[in-house]
Amino acid sequence: MGSMSSDVPLLNDYKQDFLLKRFPQTVLGGPRLKLGYCAPPYIYVNQIVLFLMPWALGGTGTLLYQLDILRDYTAAALSGGLMVFTAAVIQLISVYARSKSVVVRRMRTRDILAEEDQHEFTSCAGAETVKFLIPGKKYVANTVFHSVLAGLVCGLGTWYLLPNRVTLLYGSPGATAVLFVFGWITLCIGEYSLIVNTATETATFQTQDTYEITPLMRPLYIFFFVSVDLAHRFIVNIPALEQMNQILHILFVLLPFLWALGTLPPPDALLFWAVEQVLEFGLGGSSMSTHLRLLVMFIVSAGAAVVSYFIPSTVGVVLFMTGLGFLLSLNPSDVSMVFRYGVTRHRVGSSHEARPGNSGHWFPWKECFLFIAVLGMALLEAGLLHHYVSVPQVSRSGAQAVVGYVLMVLLSIVWILRETQSIYIFGIFRNPFYPKDIHAVSVFYDKQNKLLKIGAVRWILLTLVSPLAMVAFLALDSSLHGLHSVSVSIGFTRAFRMNTETALLETVVVSAVHMVSSTDCWWNRSLDTGIRLLLIGIMRDRLIQFITKLQFAVTVLLALWTEKKQHRKTTTTLCVLNTVFAPFVLGIIVLSTLLSSPLLPLFTLPVFLVGFPRPVQSWPGAVGTAACVCTDSVFYHQMVPRLTAALQTAMAAGSLGLLLPGSHYLGRFEDRLIWIMILECGYTYCCINVKGLELQETSCHTAEAQRVDEVFESAFQREHPQVCSLNEHLENVLTPCTVLPVKLYSDARNVLTGIIDSPDNLKEFKDDLIKVLVWVLIQHCSKRPSTQENKTENTGEASPALPPAANSSPCPESLEDSESANSDWSDGSIFDDEPAIKNRKEKLQSKDLPCTKLPIPGSVDSQNPDDHSAGTGPKNDLYRTVILGLPAVDKGQREDVAYIPLVEFSCSQSRLLSLPEEWRSNSTPRSKILEMSALFPEDWYQFVLRQLECFHSEEKSRVLEEIAKDKALKDLYVHTVMACYIGLFGIDNGVPSPGQLVRVYNGGLPWAGTLDWLSEKPELFHLVRKAFRYTLKLMVDKASLGPIEDFKELTNCLREYERDWYIGLVSEEQWKRAILEEKPCLFCLGYESSMGVYTSRVLMLQEMSVHIGKLNAEAVRGQWANLSWELLYATNDDEERYSIQAHPLLLRNLTVQAADPPLGYPIFSSKPLPIHLC
């Protein structure tokens, strides 16, 4: 995405035409009257007939009723029956047409016109015509169910719109005529969408309608309106119900308008939204992290309210509500864990027998003891206060009033302590107590720790003191003396839920209003305390939503006017219209607030609509199940446990403000952006979802990330002369909160120009490589179990070296493509490798031999004859490969055959450091090895041996000295090391080029005979590659930090590489595993083709500062609602569309990225993560 300009289209020409065709279809419920191509007239006539069919059937019943031939319910039944029959016929015709067209579709070639949304019509009732008009249902069950449902809709709709009935409601024939005509249009729209062809709804929640739920949306709302009318028919003398019925009859004719604007939610979104609202405000719970938890918590909470209604004792009611309210406020996962633990302990008899060795790690003892203590104190307090202190009369000077004053003081202290924990007070004024400069890291964290101690006081007040004070306030309430009251059961079941800070606020407001208002007012006379708390909770939530929605709307409007890059040709017009129609815009904001639905800015412009209500998560899928995973995702995997631990401390102290479900936070560290969403909250816990965004790969992402950096830099790193200065970025949707110390990987990228291409460094590289090879091989053999090799080998026995077995492991993954990738390996002439290529073609192909001791004539048996007699040979001794006799050669050429050394150790312990037998043979000419052996560093070899720690006997130094003097062992290492050295650089001993280093680092080898020898030994190849990478890292370190002084320093350096570093490639699985295992350091070599330079990447695990800011939750919900509308309805997936361009105030591009796939594209998304705030 490039930089945005004023001519970026909202929709391209094709999408504009597409939307103009789709929107009329949505308005009418499915008829496609605007096709975009020429169609026969009967296509339009058929659709009109099908559209008006319910009206004709319903009109028949209405006419018979008006003529007093049938009663009202009989007329409704007649219309419904006719509609069931008609719907069944329509569906059967569709099924027949589809079955008839199957043969035709198989015989025809691909229809190009069909791909362009065009159809060929042959006749009025042809199969293609029927398929176009009536697509049919995917499932037979839906065919039957939708047909029956269509009959119910038509029958009840006829009953609902009977003229006599409507006249009784309004007393006006004119109103009756209008409502009758437009009401039947609404019914026809609902029926057409259910039976004939379902329109694409603007209110789309699911990306795919797998179970055909969308056709049920419009009939569902028709049933709701009809149900109110039926209730009014059979339940008389309720004025409120009559008024509601009158209002709903008017709204009924407006349903097509609401459906077209997408204000009414689809059935699935409506279900979860309604359950969330009832659970949170009616039953005192919280929105949950999964749909299953939501439904289970709703059922249990509703059951608690029902059970409390039938308890005969007031003390029993108080104890039941207190205990169950506390338990339901806890994390359901923790409660289920305690339950499972108790069941397991009861069955087995001992927790140690149930889970040996794990009981202290998996069970949350500290939290459990805290919960038991608080629950016991709450039950004791509630029972005693209600039984001995509570009185049936309301008093302003009683014990409850005193507790109310205590709660007010507690709330004031808790709020003051909370505001001292973040950088800004109320998001506006800079906190004078917050540390000034983050650059002085140690000083900053020392001051922050002092603030956290104050936060600990807040936690004690909020977690331990406030719940007990609120229980005392409720237990003393006089309303609890009235048994078997629905309002008491619902209100107090909700009130005893301990959702801490918000519950404390609501209780204080109720207490304050009670103290300042008259006892005879409606609020105090007609409502009990539980219902008052319920209403205050709703008002508190809606007030917060209204303020944040208003801020969001103002930001969208001002950004369009003040930000030059956001200017469009319509900017002035939109600003003027919003100013002139400000009351109307305010009304839209109020309506979206009342519905708790997102405020949808169309194309993120100040054209505001009321989005359909949806759950707090905004997306239908399970949290954390989808992400656009890439190589950078592993950083967020490693980060999450550390980040949650830091968030636990910050949330408990109040650094992140008021914790509410649906709150969004943005974290920033180097080039990483962390999106945090609170999914659910309860007593001492909350569940969050952490998403990781891409690492600045687009210009839009980079532009917004820079603005995020500016916001955090202004808050945490700039000097502010005034004590309580204002937030410079108050108009931004991001408000800085705090800085968290988190142990993360810092990412440093460097250009190696002047290091990897330096001739001196390249020359030293070859010398260092031999030393590192020696060190790596000796370390590997010293750490190998002593029984792995040479189990039967004794001192003084000679054992010939073995060639690789035919069934040896294949080449490592990194070599799979090395042959093709390195065909032009050498920087010199390709003819240098010709002898090696010839040897490669003539290599020996070994096969498994049968179980026999008979030698093959002309061959040398590779098995020690004494092994069989001793009976202690390896398991596969009988299948050892034999070496066929080599052909006779001239005397002058005999020295160039493959060298197979015979090993006879002078020290009995040398066998423990001996190289594996299959490594000792290779295709490198002996003369070349002898020639290169002069490069072998014998003094380094002996130094490494003397530093070994694999011997723990008293004669360790003597044994190591004897091993170091063992010439046979040294010759074995010389032979293997130099063979590996030649395998890396080829026969020629020239200075390698930077390109050669990078290719070998990546796992490629030069085209030579040793390629087969190394590739057939994955373990040796892995060690050689590791040594090569260590050497390259050593070269970079020497160029940066200075030369190595002595052998001891070199050894320490290599040990550090082995212990603290992973040196490899980003694409390797070991790289990801090293990050997840939190290897202290990682190094990678690369080549930047665009710049033509070699680069290095170093990751260092260290404690870093992560900036955390709070986002305007309604800005996120509004932009996500627009994203859903654009992609799922308007199908505006253009990567250069206006609504995805960088926006410095709304952070539009980052918000789109953070949406759940497939609409968004975060590279990491966690499962719901519980954070215990204790």
Side-chain angles (χ1 to χ4, degrees), residues 668 670-672 694-698 701-702 705-706 709:
R668 178 66 168 165
E670 288 190 348
D671 59 348
R672 269 157 267 177
E694 64 179 359
L695 306 185
Q696 297 190 20
E697 296 181 358
T698 63
H701 180 107
T702 305
Q706 289 176 353
D709 292 335

Side-chain angles (χ1 to χ4, degrees), residues 35 122 187 384 511 520 835 838 850 862 885 939 953 995 1044 1051 1096 1121:
L35 299 178
T122 57
L187 282 174
L384 293 176
S511 178
D520 296 330
K838 184 177 181 180
S862 63
D939 52 348
S953 62
I1044 301 294
T1051 302
S1096 67

Side-chain angles (χ1 to χ4, degrees), residues 80 82 180 375 431 469 633 809 975-976 1035:
L82 293 175
F180 180 81
L375 177 60
N431 181 8
S633 301
S809 301
H975 177 267
T976 304
M1035 179 181 72

Side-chain angles (χ1 to χ4, degrees), residues 713-899:
E713 181 182 353
S714 171
F716 297 109
Q717 298 179 8
R718 290 183 188 172
E719 292 293 338
H720 297 272
Q722 299 180 359
V723 178
C724 294
S725 56
L726 292 176
N727 181 3
E728 297 178 2
H729 298 274
L730 190 60
E731 74 283 359
N732 202 291
V733 296
L734 177 66
T735 302
C737 292
T738 188
V739 178
L740 302 180
V742 185
K743 200 169 186 179
L744 304 170
Y745 279 103
S746 63
D747 193 351
R749 303 169 189 255
N750 302 302
V751 177
L752 298 182
T753 302
I755 298 178
I756 196 173
D757 54 357
S758 170
D760 295 336
N761 291 343
L762 294 173
K763 185 177 180 181
E764 290 184 13
F765 177 86
K766 298 191 66 177
D767 297 336
D768 291 339
L769 177 59
I770 300 177
K771 295 179 182 178
V772 178
L773 273 171
V774 171
W775 186 86
V776 168
L777 292 178
I778 291 177
Q779 293 295 320
H780 172 75
C781 293
S782 67
K783 295 176 183 178
R784 183 186 58 204
S786 59
T787 58
Q788 181 176 343
E789 292 291 335
N790 301 322
K791 291 183 179 179
T792 62
E793 184 177 350
N794 296 320
T795 305
E797 293 180 347
S799 60
L802 295 177
N807 59 347
S808 60
S809 301
C811 173
E813 182 181 352
S814 57
L815 281 178
E816 288 178 354
D817 299 325
S818 61
E819 297 183 10
S820 60
N822 297 291
S823 59
D824 56 345
W825 161 252
S826 177
D827 287 334
S829 173
I830 60 173
F831 297 100
D832 294 341
D833 290 331
E834 186 176 352
I837 297 174
K838 184 177 181 180
N839 289 335
R840 175 185 175 90
K841 294 179 180 178
E842 298 175 356
K843 69 177 183 177
L844 189 64
Q845 300 292 337
S846 302
K847 303 291 182 182
D848 290 343
L849 299 180
C851 299
T852 178
K853 296 183 180 179
L854 296 176
I856 299 177
S859 67
V860 180
D861 190 357
S862 63
Q863 175 68 35
N864 191 326
D866 294 336
D867 291 344
H868 293 295
S869 61
T872 58
K875 183 177 180 180
N876 62 341
D877 282 347
L878 294 179
Y879 302 95
R880 289 277 182 107
T881 306
V882 297
I883 304 175
L884 298 178
L886 299 175
V889 294
D890 294 339
K891 184 176 180 179
Q893 298 178 357
R894 182 172 298 275
E895 61 180 2
D896 291 334
V897 301
Y899 176 51

Side-chain angles (χ1 to χ4, degrees), residues 42 117 180 281 304 414 506 526 649 768:
Y42 56 77
D117 197 25
F180 180 81
F281 302 110
V414 167
E506 294 163 8
S526 302
T649 304
D768 291 339

Side-chain angles (χ1 to χ4, degrees), residues 480-492:
L480 289 173
H481 289 276
L483 290 175
H484 309 302
S485 170
V486 175
S487 63
V488 170
S489 297
I490 295 176
F492 280 90

Side-chain angles (χ1 to χ4, degrees), residues 73-260:
Y73 56 85
T74 310
L78 175 63
S79 299
L82 293 175
M83 190 66 223
V84 170
F85 175 78
T86 305
V89 171
I90 291 174
Q91 293 302 313
L92 290 176
I93 292 174
S94 174
V95 172
Y96 175 75
R98 281 184 293 168
S99 63
K100 184 178 180 181
S101 62
V102 170
V103 178
V104 178
R105 183 165 55 249
R106 286 178 180 173
M107 296 177 61
R108 278 172 38 180
T109 59
R110 190 176 65 172
D111 186 3
I112 304 298
L113 296 179
E115 295 179 0
E116 296 298 327
D117 197 25
Q118 296 188 20
H119 300 264
E120 293 181 352
F121 304 107
T122 57
S123 64
C124 179
E128 187 66 27
T129 303
V130 174
K131 282 200 310 173
F132 173 79
L133 297 176
I134 314 168
K137 308 296 179 181
K138 291 188 293 185
Y139 306 106
V140 177
N142 282 339
T143 301
V144 177
F145 174 63
H146 291 181
S147 298
V148 174
L149 190 62
L152 289 175
V153 171
C154 186
L156 294 176
T158 302
W159 205 359
Y160 185 72
L161 294 175
L162 289 175
N164 288 352
R165 176 66 179 171
V166 178
T167 304
L168 288 176
L169 283 176
Y170 298 99
S172 172
T176 301
V178 172
L179 292 178
F180 180 81
V181 172
F182 288 99
W184 267 108
I185 292 177
T186 300
L187 282 174
C188 291
I189 290 174
E191 292 281 17
Y192 196 96
S193 180
L194 181 63
I195 289 300
V196 183
N197 184 22
T198 304
T200 303
E201 300 288 351
T202 51
T204 303
F205 190 54
Q206 300 279 356
T207 55
Q208 292 183 344
D209 187 18
T210 306
Y211 301 104
E212 296 179 311
I213 298 176
T214 303
L216 304 177
M217 173 181 169
R218 305 193 182 200
L220 176 68
Y221 289 101
I222 293 174
F223 275 127
F224 169 75
F225 282 76
V226 173
S227 64
V228 176
D229 181 70
L230 293 178
H232 181 223
R233 285 174 186 267
F234 298 107
I235 304 176
V236 295
N237 299 326
I238 301 180
L241 191 59
E242 182 179 359
Q243 293 175 2
M244 181 182 295
N245 195 15
Q246 291 174 345
I247 295 173
L248 290 182
H249 268 79
I250 297 174
L251 290 179
F252 187 79
V253 301
L254 299 178
L255 277 179
F257 177 74
L258 298 177
W259 287 330

